[in-house]
Amino acid sequence: MLLCALLLLVSFPVSIWFCIKIVQEYERAVIFRLGRLLPGRARGPGLFFLLPCLDTYRKVDLRVKTFEIPFHEVVSKDMVTAEVNAICYYRTENASLSLTSVVNPSSAVSLLTQTSIKRILAHWKFSEILLQRRHIGDEIKVALDATTCHWGIKVEQAEIKDIRLPAELQHSLAVEAEANRQAKVKVIAAEGEKQASEALKTAADILSVSPAAVQLRYLHTLHNLSTEKSPTVILPLPFDLFNILSSSPHKPLAASGAAADVQRPAEPQNKETKTDSQML
């Protein structure tokens, strides 16, 4: 270091330009002196000085990086096999630790994310995976942070992007969904029939009290039929005829027969007895 300092003093006007380095706002410089990491935090942003003959430095980008996990097969808790695609966002939190701990941070985080997804989804049912993606993503993020914190890397977010289902499973889910829709339709129709029957019963009770209301309803129905566009032939009948036809036909005939028997006078009996002629 003394020889290097003496060399800088001898060639000062020129050597100063080899000692000044600049890093951007989103970068940090990790300095190694004779192969050993200098203590303290990484240098930057802006200007920093180093000894040209003894020091070397590496730039580390602190911006958020993203990568996409390709489709790979996972098995859920209920033994359903599906293909899952995920995406992960991470950034370098400690430049010195990241540079000295991991050779390829992107590849390491990618493989770790893929392994964590398989392990975590094995504890979830397939229906829960479809509905609880955000919660599963938070669980994956916590699991990744537990490991990447030792690498100086911070995982910002991890999400399940897409899920591919086998053709057989898609068909079975479609059949199940169609059966659920048909069941709901039948239940709604039954509820409608129940409400309609209750309304008809209430209307029948009201109309049975007032015969005039029944006749008005009959006339209103005839009016609605006459105003339809389709060609119809209407033969109106007197409303009293329905009351006569609705009564039992046997009781009036029996009553009238009994009345006729009561009102019919007794025929006088012919007391003369006919005798045969003497010639017979």
Side-chain angles (χ1 to χ4, degrees):
M1 291 182 62
L2 292 176
L3 292 175
C4 184
L6 182 61
L7 180 61
L8 291 176
L9 291 176
V10 172
S11 59
F12 174 70
V14 179
S15 61
I16 190 62
W17 300 106
F18 296 95
C19 298
I20 297 176
K21 301 296 179 181
I22 299 175
V23 291
Q24 304 296 328
E25 180 67 28
Y26 54 85
E27 293 176 338
R28 295 296 183 270
V30 180
I31 301 176
F32 296 90
R33 179 164 295 171
L34 296 177
R36 298 179 61 87
L37 179 66
L38 288 183
R41 64 182 184 86
R43 305 300 191 269
L47 292 172
F48 67 95
F49 296 89
L50 53 82
L51 299 177
C53 299
L54 304 178
D55 296 344
T56 57
Y57 74 98
R58 295 281 301 277
K59 292 182 180 180
V60 179
D61 197 338
L62 302 182
R63 291 177 292 183
V64 175
K65 303 177 183 65
T66 179
F67 62 87
E68 185 175 357
I69 303 297
F71 282 99
H72 60 283
E73 289 188 355
V74 296
V75 180
S76 62
K77 185 178 181 181
D78 50 355
M79 303 305 294
V80 176
T81 303
E83 293 184 355
V84 177
N85 182 22
I87 189 169
C88 181
Y89 303 89
Y90 72 97
R91 62 181 177 84
T92 301
E93 191 174 34
N94 190 332
S96 301
L97 184 60
S98 174
L99 190 63
T100 56
S101 300
V102 187
V103 177
N104 191 348
S106 178
S107 178
V109 176
S110 176
L111 295 176
L112 179 64
T113 303
Q114 186 173 351
T115 306
S116 300
I117 289 174
K118 287 186 176 181
R119 184 181 68 252
I120 291 173
L121 293 185
H123 297 84
W124 289 80
K125 294 183 179 179
F126 183 74
S127 59
E128 296 174 345
I129 295 175
L130 295 176
L131 299 176
Q132 301 291 333
R133 289 190 182 184
R134 183 178 295 276
H135 184 70
I136 295 174
D138 295 337
E139 188 175 350
I140 294 172
K141 174 182 176 298
V142 173
L144 293 176
D145 275 336
T147 304
T148 57
C149 64
H150 303 290
W151 300 344
I153 296 174
K154 174 68 175 176
V155 177
E156 295 291 337
Q157 190 175 359
E159 291 185 359
I160 296 176
K161 184 178 179 182
D162 195 8
I163 300 175
R164 288 180 181 176
L165 307 179
E168 297 81 4
L169 183 59
Q170 291 181 7
H171 179 69
S172 61
L173 291 177
V175 171
E176 181 181 358
E178 183 65 24
N180 291 332
R181 287 193 293 269
Q182 292 294 335
K184 290 181 180 179
V185 168
K186 291 180 179 179
V187 170
I188 294 173
E191 292 291 337
E193 291 291 339
K194 179 182 177 182
Q195 295 178 3
S197 61
E198 292 177 354
L200 289 175
K201 181 179 180 298
T202 304
D205 294 338
I206 296 173
L207 292 176
S208 63
V209 178
S210 176
V214 179
Q215 188 171 3
L216 290 175
R217 180 61 182 168
Y218 172 66
L219 295 175
H220 180 68
T221 303
L222 292 178
H223 176 70
N224 290 337
L225 291 175
S226 63
T227 56
E228 291 183 357
K229 295 181 180 181
S230 60
T232 55
V233 178
I234 302 173
L235 298 175
L237 297 176
F239 188 74
D240 296 335
L241 182 60
F242 293 101
N243 295 330
I244 297 173
L245 295 175
S246 62
S247 61
S248 177
H250 301 288
K251 293 182 178 180
L253 294 176
S256 61
D261 293 339
V262 172
Q263 294 177 4
R264 183 182 299 170
E267 295 180 356
Q269 296 179 357
N270 189 4
K271 295 181 180 180
E272 297 180 356
T273 58
K274 295 181 180 180
T275 59
D276 297 333
S277 64
Q278 296 178 0
M279 294 181 67
L280 294 175

